[in-house]
Short mmCIF file of all heavy atoms in Angstrom, two decimals:
data_model
loop_
_atom_site.label_atom_id
_atom_site.label_comp_id
_atom_site.label_asym_id
_atom_site.label_seq_id
_atom_site.Cartn_x
_atom_site.Cartn_y
_atom_site.Cartn_z
N VAL C 1330 6.53 12.31 -7.60
CA VAL C 1330 7.06 13.51 -6.92
C VAL C 1330 6.41 13.58 -5.55
O VAL C 1330 5.20 13.51 -5.42
CB VAL C 1330 6.76 14.79 -7.69
CG1 VAL C 1330 7.27 15.97 -6.94
CG2 VAL C 1330 7.35 14.70 -9.11
N ARG C 1331 7.27 13.71 -4.50
CA ARG C 1331 6.75 13.94 -3.16
C ARG C 1331 7.55 15.11 -2.54
O ARG C 1331 8.76 15.01 -2.41
CB ARG C 1331 6.87 12.71 -2.32
CG ARG C 1331 6.30 12.93 -0.86
CD ARG C 1331 6.46 11.64 -0.04
NE ARG C 1331 7.76 11.08 -0.12
CZ ARG C 1331 8.06 9.80 -0.26
NH1 ARG C 1331 7.13 8.91 -0.27
NH2 ARG C 1331 9.36 9.41 -0.31
N ASN C 1332 6.83 16.15 -2.26
CA ASN C 1332 7.54 17.36 -1.76
C ASN C 1332 7.79 17.46 -0.35
O ASN C 1332 7.23 16.67 0.45
CB ASN C 1332 6.73 18.57 -2.20
CG ASN C 1332 5.46 18.71 -1.43
OD1 ASN C 1332 4.63 17.79 -1.43
ND2 ASN C 1332 5.33 19.80 -0.66
N PHE C 1333 8.57 18.36 0.08
CA PHE C 1333 8.71 18.73 1.50
C PHE C 1333 8.40 20.24 1.61
O PHE C 1333 8.92 21.05 0.83
CB PHE C 1333 10.20 18.64 1.90
CG PHE C 1333 10.66 17.19 2.12
CD1 PHE C 1333 11.57 16.67 1.20
CD2 PHE C 1333 10.19 16.46 3.18
CE1 PHE C 1333 12.02 15.35 1.41
CE2 PHE C 1333 10.63 15.12 3.33
CZ PHE C 1333 11.52 14.59 2.43
N THR C 1334 7.53 20.54 2.52
CA THR C 1334 7.33 21.98 2.85
C THR C 1334 8.30 22.39 3.84
O THR C 1334 8.32 21.87 4.98
CB THR C 1334 5.88 22.20 3.38
OG1 THR C 1334 4.95 21.74 2.39
CG2 THR C 1334 5.59 23.59 3.77
N ASP C 1335 9.21 23.21 3.44
CA ASP C 1335 10.29 23.61 4.35
C ASP C 1335 10.29 25.03 4.81
O ASP C 1335 11.25 25.55 5.34
CB ASP C 1335 11.68 23.18 3.72
CG ASP C 1335 11.98 23.91 2.47
OD1 ASP C 1335 11.01 24.57 1.94
OD2 ASP C 1335 13.10 23.90 2.02
N ILE C 1336 9.18 25.67 4.45
CA ILE C 1336 9.00 27.05 5.05
C ILE C 1336 7.54 27.24 5.26
O ILE C 1336 6.68 27.03 4.46
CB ILE C 1336 9.55 28.18 4.10
CG1 ILE C 1336 9.37 29.52 4.72
CG2 ILE C 1336 8.91 28.07 2.71
CD1 ILE C 1336 10.19 29.72 5.97
N ASP C 1337 7.15 27.55 6.45
CA ASP C 1337 5.79 27.94 6.86
C ASP C 1337 5.68 28.34 8.31
O ASP C 1337 6.69 28.29 9.04
CB ASP C 1337 4.86 26.73 6.53
CG ASP C 1337 4.36 25.94 7.67
OD1 ASP C 1337 5.17 25.67 8.67
OD2 ASP C 1337 3.26 25.59 7.69
N ASP C 1338 4.55 28.75 8.74
CA ASP C 1338 4.39 29.29 10.09
C ASP C 1338 4.84 28.33 11.12
O ASP C 1338 5.52 28.73 12.12
CB ASP C 1338 2.94 29.61 10.38
CG ASP C 1338 2.41 30.76 9.48
OD1 ASP C 1338 3.26 31.52 9.03
OD2 ASP C 1338 1.13 30.89 9.36
N LYS C 1339 4.51 27.06 11.00
CA LYS C 1339 4.84 26.12 12.06
C LYS C 1339 6.36 25.93 12.21
O LYS C 1339 6.87 25.72 13.29
CB LYS C 1339 4.12 24.75 11.79
CG LYS C 1339 2.57 24.87 11.87
CD LYS C 1339 1.90 23.55 11.74
CE LYS C 1339 2.13 22.84 10.42
NZ LYS C 1339 1.51 23.54 9.29
N ILE C 1340 7.01 25.89 11.05
CA ILE C 1340 8.42 25.74 11.10
C ILE C 1340 9.10 26.97 11.75
O ILE C 1340 10.00 26.83 12.58
CB ILE C 1340 8.98 25.60 9.64
CG1 ILE C 1340 8.51 24.29 9.05
CG2 ILE C 1340 10.49 25.64 9.64
CD1 ILE C 1340 8.77 24.08 7.60
N ILE C 1341 8.59 28.12 11.41
CA ILE C 1341 9.13 29.38 12.02
C ILE C 1341 8.92 29.36 13.52
O ILE C 1341 9.82 29.71 14.26
CB ILE C 1341 8.43 30.58 11.40
CG1 ILE C 1341 8.93 30.74 9.87
CG2 ILE C 1341 8.76 31.84 12.15
CD1 ILE C 1341 8.11 31.71 9.11
N LYS C 1342 7.75 28.88 13.94
CA LYS C 1342 7.43 28.82 15.37
C LYS C 1342 8.35 27.85 16.06
O LYS C 1342 8.93 28.12 17.12
CB LYS C 1342 5.98 28.43 15.52
CG LYS C 1342 5.38 28.77 16.84
CD LYS C 1342 3.94 28.44 16.86
CE LYS C 1342 3.43 28.10 18.23
NZ LYS C 1342 2.11 27.36 18.27
N ARG C 1343 8.53 26.74 15.41
CA ARG C 1343 9.42 25.71 15.98
C ARG C 1343 10.85 26.13 16.08
O ARG C 1343 11.53 25.81 17.06
CB ARG C 1343 9.30 24.46 15.13
CG ARG C 1343 10.00 23.24 15.61
CD ARG C 1343 9.21 22.60 16.76
NE ARG C 1343 9.91 21.46 17.31
CZ ARG C 1343 9.31 20.36 17.75
NH1 ARG C 1343 8.02 20.34 17.84
NH2 ARG C 1343 10.04 19.37 18.26
N ALA C 1344 11.24 26.89 15.03
CA ALA C 1344 12.66 27.44 15.01
C ALA C 1344 12.87 28.31 16.25
O ALA C 1344 13.88 28.15 16.87
CB ALA C 1344 12.86 28.20 13.76
N ALA C 1345 11.87 29.14 16.58
CA ALA C 1345 12.00 30.01 17.71
C ALA C 1345 12.10 29.20 18.93
O ALA C 1345 12.98 29.43 19.86
CB ALA C 1345 10.80 30.91 17.81
N ALA C 1346 11.26 28.15 19.07
CA ALA C 1346 11.24 27.28 20.19
C ALA C 1346 12.57 26.47 20.43
O ALA C 1346 13.02 26.27 21.52
CB ALA C 1346 10.08 26.28 20.12
N GLU C 1347 13.17 26.04 19.31
CA GLU C 1347 14.42 25.24 19.38
C GLU C 1347 15.67 26.06 19.31
O GLU C 1347 16.73 25.51 19.38
CB GLU C 1347 14.42 24.20 18.33
CG GLU C 1347 13.31 23.12 18.55
CD GLU C 1347 13.52 21.81 17.69
OE1 GLU C 1347 14.72 21.63 17.35
OE2 GLU C 1347 12.57 21.10 17.45
N GLY C 1348 15.47 27.35 19.11
CA GLY C 1348 16.65 28.15 19.00
C GLY C 1348 17.45 27.90 17.69
O GLY C 1348 18.70 28.03 17.67
#
Side-chain angles (χ1 to χ4, degrees):
Chain C
V1330 177
R1331 181 179 49 222
N1332 70 299
F1333 287 110
T1334 298
D1335 63 346
I1336 181 65
D1337 106 319
D1338 291 341
K1339 295 187 295 294
I1340 295 172
I1341 292 169
K1342 203 173 149 198
R1343 185 77 181 212
E1347 293 197 21

